[in-house]
Structures are given as structure tokens and as C-alpha cells.
């Protein structure tokens, strides 16, 4: 696999980032892939600590809230796109990133931008479906199984082509928190597998 620089976008605890850091360190699963940078859209999140501990350049790029939403989204996307060009990023990984970016960056990284979602898309995706809300909705719907999805990011919300899914059972006594923890464990395998699939495609 030829060298591939990835940018990981985060907004929270960074356990999916940590799974990628550990996979890169192991040298086995994603050989040739380098986490070149981490960008968080908010300060003081543990994902930034994880990047620092791994010696990965980390940047806080907060949306400029003095701007109206469309301009705010474009201004943030332009900053991230400039960083990607400067660091020769080949793949962008959303790992819990909560800001929406513009079609411009999505088009420039068409097929080279992936997201991990904590449900079996296309169910339980879309606007407002993030974090614990997802698992609450899965339980409310009486689903017997759940899981996570790694997909290509397109202009929609959680609507791009699916790369892979990993499933977990929904148990009778499940709370949203218990289900979230079971799904998150599988996310850590899925995010690495998703990077591996794209890296393979790009090196073919
Ligand atoms: C994960 O549940 C992911 O599916 C969702 O945001 C969460 C990020 O968790 N998009 P972490 O910050 O990687 O621990």
C-alpha cells in the first residue's frame, strides 16, 4: 500500500481515533497509512489528548459563530481544506465529528472521505441521529439487533455508499448506554477496516 496521509476529524472522546492510532502503531492492519493530523471543531476534548500522546499534530478549528450558518460552514470547510492540501491528505475520516462541511470539500474528497455511524444505516441515520439519540431510537423501535456503519461521505447526512457494517444483538435489559457501549466496541474494528478498504482502493 503506497503512503497515505489521513486526517481524522473529531469532536469528543476520540476512541475511534485511538483505534486508528493503535492500528497504525501495530503496523499490521493499515500498513502505509499515516495519521498526518487531527482536527477538532471544539477545544478541550479528550481526542486532542490522545493525538498529543501519539505525537500527532492536532488542530482546534472551531466554527466562527459570529458568521451566519452558511458562511460559517464555508469558512470552517475552507480552513480544513487548506490544511488538507498543505499536508497532502489522501483520506479524511470523520470520527465523531459533529460539524457539517461544504459540498466543495466533499466533492474534492469524493470517495476519499468516510464516516462511522453508530447504527445499521440506512436506518437510524440523518438529522439529529447522533450520540445517545441513536441508541434511544433503536430501543424505542424494538430492534433485535443494532451495530455500526462505515460509509462514504456524500452531500447528505449519513447517506453515502456503505463500505461495511458490524452488528451487535440488542438485549432485553439494554439501556441506551449499554447498547452504545456494545456498538462502540465494534466501531473500533469497523473504523480500521474502513480505512483499510479505502487505502486498498487508492493503491490499486
Ligand atoms: C461514535 O459513536 C461514532 O459512531 C459517532 O460519534 C462517536 C465518536 O466516539 N459518530 P469517539 O469520539 O470516537 O469515542
Amino acid at each position: 500500500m503506497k503512503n497515505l496521509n489521513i486526517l481524522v476529524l473529531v469532536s469528543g472522546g476520540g476512541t475511534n481515533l485511538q483505534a486508528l492510532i493503535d492500528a497504525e502503531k501495530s503496523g499490521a492492519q493499515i500498513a502505509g497509512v499515516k495519521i498526518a493530523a487531527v482536527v477538532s471543531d471544539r477545544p478541550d476534548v479528550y481526542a486532542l489528548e490522545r493525538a498529543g500522546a501519539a505525537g500527532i499534530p492536532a488542530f482546534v478549528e472551531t466554527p466562527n459563530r459570529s458568521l451566519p450558518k452558511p458562511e460559517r460552514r464555508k469558512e470552517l470547510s475552507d480552513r480544513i481544506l487548506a490544511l488538507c492540501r498543505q499536508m497532502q491528505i489522501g483520506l479524511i475520516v470523520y470520527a465523531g465529528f459533529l460539524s457539517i462541511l461544504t459540498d466543495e470539500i466533499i466533492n474534492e474528497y469524493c470517495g476519499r472521505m468516510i464516516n462511522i455511524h453508530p447504527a445499521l444505516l440506512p436506518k437510524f441515520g440523518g438529522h439529529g441521529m447522533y450520540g445517545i439519540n441513536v441508541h434511544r431510537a433503536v430501543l424505542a423501535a424494538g430492534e433485535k439487533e443494532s451495530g455500526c456503519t462505515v460509509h462514504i461521505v456524500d452531500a447528505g447526512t449519513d447517506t453515502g455508499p456503505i463500505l461495511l457494517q458490524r452488528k451487535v444483538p440488542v438485549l432485553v435489559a439494554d439501556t441506551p448506554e449499554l447498547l452504545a457501549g456494545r456498538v462502540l466496541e465494534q466501531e473500533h474494528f469497523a473504523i480500521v477496516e474502513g480505512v483499510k478498504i479505502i487505502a486498498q482502493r487508492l493503491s490499486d
Side-chain angles (χ1 to χ4, degrees):
M1 206 174 294
K2 70 177 176 45
N3 285 333
L4 175 66
N5 287 341
I6 67 173
L7 168 69
V8 184
L9 300 176
V10 298
S11 297
T15 64
N16 279 288
L17 166 65
Q18 191 63 55
L20 291 171
I21 290 170
D22 297 345
E24 182 189 344
K25 264 198 205 120
S26 78
Q29 308 161 73
I30 47 173
V33 171
K34 179 185 175 200
I35 305 171
V38 170
V39 165
S40 174
D41 60 356
R42 57 207 66 196
D44 310 324
V45 293
Y46 196 63
L48 293 168
E49 305 282 327
R50 295 179 191 273
I56 299 167
F59 305 87
V60 178
E61 297 295 348
T62 49
N64 180 344
R65 298 201 179 285
S66 68
L67 295 173
K69 272 200 176 169
E71 287 81 352
R72 187 188 312 169
R73 182 178 296 182
K74 174 161 177 35
E75 197 270 339
L76 176 63
S77 297
D78 289 350
R79 271 188 268 152
I80 292 174
L81 194 45
L83 181 71
C84 287
R85 290 170 176 154
Q86 178 195 336
M87 302 191 84
Q88 298 178 310
I89 298 296
L91 168 63
I92 299 175
V93 180
Y94 276 66
F97 192 62
L98 294 174
S99 291
I100 308 289
L101 301 181
T102 58
D103 291 357
E104 182 188 5
I105 191 170
I106 292 169
N107 294 338
E108 176 150 340
Y109 276 86
C110 181
R112 301 184 295 139
M113 187 183 265
I114 63 175
N115 178 47
I116 185 154
H117 183 76
L120 297 175
L121 294 174
K123 295 170 83 173
F124 306 107
H127 188 66
M129 276 292 152
Y130 58 87
I132 205 71
N133 300 343
V134 175
H135 308 292
R136 201 170 281 132
V138 167
L139 293 178
E143 298 291 329
K144 297 290 177 259
E145 66 177 10
S146 189
C148 57
T149 303
V150 179
H151 64 93
I152 299 285
V153 174
D154 67 5
T157 304
D158 303 326
T159 53
I162 290 174
L163 288 177
L164 73 122
Q165 295 184 311
R166 289 180 73 100
K167 294 183 178 180
V168 298
V170 175
L171 305 179
V172 172
D174 264 343
T175 61
E177 291 72 19
L178 285 174
L179 180 55
R182 194 174 311 122
V183 170
L184 192 59
E185 280 174 13
Q186 293 307 313
E187 291 181 43
H188 300 154
F189 296 104
I191 192 85
V192 174
E193 287 169 19
V195 168
K196 191 173 172 180
I197 290 168
I198 299 294
Q200 192 57 50
R201 282 184 187 175
L202 295 175
S203 64
D204 284 352

